[in-house]
Amino acid sequence: MNLSAAHSTARAAAARLPALQASFDLLDSGAGQARIDILDTLDTVLVSIPIADGVGTLDAQAYQIILTVPIEAQIATGGDANHAVIYDNAAAVWADGVTVSDEAGSGEIKLAAMSLQAGAFCRLTSAVFQG
């Protein structure tokens, strides 16, 4: 059987929402706590930001996971933020190579400042993940 383009598109769209829900559940439920690690260009973890259960929503219309912000944590190591790794509640990698930018940029995660100073706080002002 060969499916029409419209039929194939409809099937793909119908499968997206359950897949997005499964991704969201890995961040939002379970015994552990999900986290976002912000790294520099050398992959040094500058700050680990915990993600509490219930801190996000799933937008079924836009196929997005949207974290409720601001979220912040104290910076362990100073440096310039480059990218992020997200860990699920079981401490397994949920996503790697997550883009990070300042508030004017196009990163999946937006920070109040890209230059992070040890001892200060890193604030996420936006975190939207397309599914």
Side-chain angles (χ1 to χ4, degrees), residues 1 5 21 24 44 55 58-59 62 65 67 74 77 79 83 91 98 103-104 118 127 129:
M1 170 172 59
Q21 183 67 54
F24 182 72
T44 301
V55 76
L58 191 143
D59 182 339
I65 294 171
L67 298 186
Q74 192 166 20
T77 303
H83 63 283
V98 178
E103 293 172 320
F129 310 112

Side-chain angles (χ1 to χ4, degrees), residues 3-19:
L3 302 179
S4 70
H7 187 177
S8 291
T9 300
R11 288 170 56 106
R16 274 181 90 178
L17 194 53

Side-chain angles (χ1 to χ4, degrees), residues 106-123:
S106 61
E108 294 159 302
I109 294 174
K110 294 183 182 184
L111 303 177
M114 294 290 287
S115 182
L116 307 179
Q117 303 298 318
F121 281 82
C122 176
R123 177 174 279 205

Side-chain angles (χ1 to χ4, degrees), residues 39-118:
L39 297 90
D40 64 11
T41 56
L42 300 175
D43 287 337
T44 301
V45 177
L46 304 177
V47 60
S48 289
I49 302 170
I51 304 172
D53 286 349
V55 76
T57 58
L58 191 143
D59 182 339
Q61 299 299 317
Y63 298 107
Q64 295 176 331
I65 294 171
I66 303 168
L67 298 186
T68 304
V69 293
I71 307 170
E72 61 184 15
Q74 192 166 20
I75 300 164
T77 303
D80 292 327
N82 180 266
H83 63 283
V85 178
I86 302 173
Y87 294 88
D88 66 17
N89 285 338
V93 173
W94 184 84
D96 192 1
V98 178
T99 58
V100 175
S101 71
D102 63 11
E103 293 172 320
S106 61
E108 294 159 302
I109 294 174
K110 294 183 182 184
L111 303 177
M114 294 290 287
S115 182
L116 307 179
Q117 303 298 318

